[in-house]
Amino acid sequence: MFQGIKVKNIIMILFGAAIMSFGLVHFNIQNELAEGGFTGLTLILLFVFNLDPALMNLVLNVPMFFIGWKLLGRKPFIYTVIGTVAVSVFLKVFTIYQFEVGLENDMFLVALFAGVFIGIGLGIIFRYGGTTGGVDIIARLANKYAGWSMGRTMFMFDAFVILLSWATYLTTPRMMYTLVAVFLGARVIDFVQEGAYSGRGAWIISEWQDEIAEKITEEMERGVTVLRGYGHFTKSPREVIYCVVGKNEIVRLKNIINSVDPHAFVSVTDVKDVMGEGFTLDEEKRPLE
């Protein structure tokens, strides 16, 4: 049953759950901010009916477990159970052993920290194949089958829950601060999940493409791909160089290009995620830790 389950993934999911739960207890609950998704529903049950959020998190997510098993498969389901249970456990632990953060007079800072903690926690959980149940499962399904950003899907569902929170216990100012936290959290989730190996992609058109490619390979030790194309206006064949470098290497790349051909046409694009040698694999094709 546990074939293919990685200990590293479990540890990182637990770590993410701890970060998320810490943020919920010390920023959302202490300052009566709402939250989106099923977590937001547990906060509604807490502030309206005084029900334990750790217990309610498990109760609300039981139906989602069956959906997760059927649609996501065995391994994601196991990671989801681990993530959901871990969030409930850490919620209970941090509720018992919490300390006063003392930011009640600066709700903007509260909203920022709430968004960052929850975003980092969920981003780590997602990156290592888990969810915390509820809307997280819906977000993974939307990402898997529709290609939607997980942050975008969660933000839409969060808006509904926040409106429900506003209708039940949330004041208007705290509703607005909650929107700030949720929006920031969604951005942080995408950054953590997709941006661990981000970089810059460069398209280079030059009459000196061989010399430029050679210098990039020798001086930067980066791979280069040469594509065949042609100019639409001139109809003449051209070779286009494409390479991906780290964010901190783009100035060096430009200097290399300029040293060979100051008149080269260069287009630089953002690369959200990179996999392969030099980024996630070493020269022996082994994963970089």
Side-chain angles (χ1 to χ4, degrees):
M1 178 178 179
F2 296 101
Q3 184 178 4
I5 302 299
K6 297 180 180 179
V7 175
K8 177 183 177 181
N9 287 34
I10 294 176
I11 293 174
M12 294 306 297
I13 289 172
L14 294 176
F15 181 57
I19 294 175
M20 175 186 173
S21 300
F22 180 89
L24 279 170
V25 171
H26 291 88
F27 299 108
N28 292 71
I29 294 177
Q30 281 190 13
N31 297 280
E32 294 187 0
L33 286 186
E35 179 54 41
F38 277 35
T39 303
L41 295 178
T42 65
L43 295 184
I44 292 174
L45 294 174
L46 167 65
F47 290 118
V48 176
F49 301 106
N50 198 31
L51 297 176
D52 183 3
L55 177 61
M56 290 300 101
N57 182 60
L58 290 177
V59 171
L60 292 175
N61 277 293
V62 168
M64 301 307 299
F65 285 164
F66 295 100
I67 297 175
W69 171 261
K70 205 166 186 180
L71 296 178
L72 293 179
R74 179 184 56 84
K75 186 161 64 172
F77 170 76
I78 293 174
Y79 287 146
T80 292
V81 172
I82 293 172
T84 304
V85 173
V87 167
S88 287
V89 170
F90 283 118
L91 277 175
K92 195 67 176 179
V93 170
F94 288 128
T95 298
I96 296 174
Y97 299 103
Q98 67 179 295
F99 59 90
E100 292 295 327
V101 178
L103 291 177
E104 60 275 359
N105 294 323
D106 194 339
M107 290 302 297
F108 186 70
L109 270 182
V110 170
L112 290 181
F113 277 106
V116 168
F117 270 83
I118 293 174
I120 291 176
L122 279 176
I124 292 173
I125 292 172
F126 286 154
R127 188 165 186 87
Y128 287 89
T131 76
T132 58
V135 71
D136 301 347
I137 293 179
I138 299 173
R140 279 186 66 88
L141 292 174
N143 178 261
K144 182 176 181 180
Y145 294 110
W148 290 4
S149 158
M150 287 189 175
R152 172 190 171 190
T153 305
M154 294 177 65
F155 186 77
M156 291 190 305
F157 193 92
D158 290 346
F160 167 75
V161 176
I162 291 170
L163 288 175
L164 183 60
S165 301
W166 187 31
T168 53
Y169 76 92
L170 201 63
T171 64
T172 298
R174 277 176 162 72
M175 184 271 290
M176 298 174 71
Y177 285 120
T178 295
L179 289 176
V180 173
V182 170
F183 180 81
L184 178 61
R187 303 284 72 76
V188 173
I189 288 170
D190 286 343
F191 175 79
V192 173
Q193 187 193 6
E194 300 175 356
Y197 296 101
S198 59
R200 296 286 186 269
W203 298 88
I204 308 161
I205 301 175
S206 169
E207 295 180 357
W208 306 92
Q209 70 274 354
D210 291 336
E211 289 81 356
I212 293 175
E214 191 70 25
K215 292 198 72 170
I216 294 173
T217 302
E218 290 182 356
E219 297 184 18
M220 301 188 67
E221 298 183 349
R222 288 296 186 188
V224 174
T225 299
V226 178
L227 307 172
R228 299 191 182 279
Y230 73 95
H232 177 73
F233 181 75
T234 63
K235 306 300 181 184
S236 60
R238 305 296 294 269
E239 290 187 334
V240 182
I241 299 172
Y242 179 71
C243 67
V244 177
V245 298
K247 290 181 178 179
N248 61 332
E249 296 177 310
I250 192 63
V251 174
R252 187 180 175 193
L253 175 65
K254 290 179 179 179
N255 290 337
I256 288 176
I257 297 170
N258 188 64
S259 68
V260 176
D261 182 5
H263 304 291
F265 178 84
V266 182
S267 174
V268 179
T269 60
D270 284 324
V271 179
K272 282 190 175 182
D273 205 0
V274 188
M275 296 180 290
E277 185 177 336
F279 291 91
T280 59
L281 302 175
D282 62 18
E283 295 179 354
E284 304 297 326
K285 309 298 183 184
R286 294 173 300 194
L288 292 172
E289 297 295 338

